PDB file of all heavy atoms in Angstrom:
ATOM      1  N   ALA A   3      92.521  91.524  96.369  1.00  0.00           N
ATOM      2  CA  ALA A   3      93.657  90.859  97.001  1.00  0.00           C
ATOM      3  C   ALA A   3      94.699  90.461  95.958  1.00  0.00           C
ATOM      4  O   ALA A   3      95.911  90.610  96.174  1.00  0.00           O
ATOM      5  CB  ALA A   3      93.182  89.628  97.774  1.00  0.00           C
ATOM      6  N   THR A  36      93.860  93.880  81.593  1.00  0.00           N
ATOM      7  CA  THR A  36      93.508  93.853  83.012  1.00  0.00           C
ATOM      8  C   THR A  36      94.052  92.624  83.740  1.00  0.00           C
ATOM      9  O   THR A  36      93.813  92.448  84.929  1.00  0.00           O
ATOM     10  CB  THR A  36      91.981  93.896  83.184  1.00  0.00           C
ATOM     11  OG1 THR A  36      91.404  92.789  82.471  1.00  0.00           O
ATOM     12  CG2 THR A  36      91.404  95.201  82.649  1.00  0.00           C
ATOM     13  N   GLY A  50     113.136  97.427  83.934  1.00  0.00           N
ATOM     14  CA  GLY A  50     114.518  97.089  83.612  1.00  0.00           C
ATOM     15  C   GLY A  50     115.017  97.828  82.393  1.00  0.00           C
ATOM     16  O   GLY A  50     116.135  98.353  82.379  1.00  0.00           O
ATOM     17  N   VAL A  57     115.781 106.015  79.662  1.00  0.00           N
ATOM     18  CA  VAL A  57     114.532 106.665  79.256  1.00  0.00           C
ATOM     19  C   VAL A  57     113.575 106.669  80.439  1.00  0.00           C
ATOM     20  O   VAL A  57     113.415 105.646  81.115  1.00  0.00           O
ATOM     21  CB  VAL A  57     113.890 105.956  78.046  1.00  0.00           C
ATOM     22  CG1 VAL A  57     112.569 106.623  77.672  1.00  0.00           C
ATOM     23  CG2 VAL A  57     114.840 105.951  76.865  1.00  0.00           C
ATOM     24  N   SER A  72      96.762 100.494  69.892  1.00  0.00           N
ATOM     25  CA  SER A  72      96.563 100.711  68.449  1.00  0.00           C
ATOM     26  C   SER A  72      97.027  99.559  67.567  1.00  0.00           C
ATOM     27  O   SER A  72      96.525  99.381  66.450  1.00  0.00           O
ATOM     28  CB  SER A  72      97.305 101.980  68.013  1.00  0.00           C
ATOM     29  OG  SER A  72      98.715 101.781  68.101  1.00  0.00           O
ATOM     30  N   THR A  88     113.339  93.595  64.460  1.00  0.00           N
ATOM     31  CA  THR A  88     113.867  92.229  64.420  1.00  0.00           C
ATOM     32  C   THR A  88     113.577  91.509  65.738  1.00  0.00           C
ATOM     33  O   THR A  88     113.131  90.343  65.745  1.00  0.00           O
ATOM     34  CB  THR A  88     115.390  92.241  64.172  1.00  0.00           C
ATOM     35  OG1 THR A  88     115.660  92.862  62.909  1.00  0.00           O
ATOM     36  CG2 THR A  88     115.943  90.821  64.159  1.00  0.00           C
ATOM     37  N   GLU A  89     113.810  92.197  66.858  1.00  0.00           N
ATOM     38  CA  GLU A  89     113.552  91.623  68.181  1.00  0.00           C
ATOM     39  C   GLU A  89     112.051  91.405  68.401  1.00  0.00           C
ATOM     40  O   GLU A  89     111.638  90.417  69.015  1.00  0.00           O
ATOM     41  CB  GLU A  89     114.130  92.521  69.268  1.00  0.00           C
ATOM     42  CG  GLU A  89     115.659  92.549  69.267  1.00  0.00           C
ATOM     43  CD  GLU A  89     116.224  93.653  70.144  1.00  0.00           C
ATOM     44  OE1 GLU A  89     115.610  94.745  70.195  1.00  0.00           O
ATOM     45  OE2 GLU A  89     117.285  93.432  70.764  1.00  0.00           O
ATOM     46  N   SER A 140     113.660 106.504  95.878  1.00  0.00           N
ATOM     47  CA  SER A 140     112.262 106.222  95.564  1.00  0.00           C
ATOM     48  C   SER A 140     111.602 105.404  96.667  1.00  0.00           C
ATOM     49  O   SER A 140     110.480 105.693  97.084  1.00  0.00           O
ATOM     50  CB  SER A 140     112.171 105.467  94.235  1.00  0.00           C
ATOM     51  OG  SER A 140     110.838 105.079  93.954  1.00  0.00           O
ATOM     52  N   LEU A 182      70.747 135.108 127.897  1.00  0.00           N
ATOM     53  CA  LEU A 182      70.929 135.976 129.073  1.00  0.00           C
ATOM     54  C   LEU A 182      70.136 137.271 128.918  1.00  0.00           C
ATOM     55  O   LEU A 182      69.886 137.734 127.794  1.00  0.00           O
ATOM     56  CB  LEU A 182      72.413 136.310 129.252  1.00  0.00           C
ATOM     57  CG  LEU A 182      73.338 135.145 129.679  1.00  0.00           C
ATOM     58  CD1 LEU A 182      74.783 135.613 129.654  1.00  0.00           C
ATOM     59  CD2 LEU A 182      72.951 134.633 131.059  1.00  0.00           C
ATOM     60  N   ALA A 194      84.723 141.174 126.987  1.00  0.00           N
ATOM     61  CA  ALA A 194      85.344 140.604 125.787  1.00  0.00           C
ATOM     62  C   ALA A 194      86.066 141.671 124.989  1.00  0.00           C
ATOM     63  O   ALA A 194      87.166 141.472 124.487  1.00  0.00           O
ATOM     64  CB  ALA A 194      84.272 139.934 124.917  1.00  0.00           C
TER      65      ALA A 194
END
Side-chain angles (χ1 to χ4, degrees):
T36 57
V57 178
S72 68
T88 299
E89 292 168 324
S140 175
L182 291 174

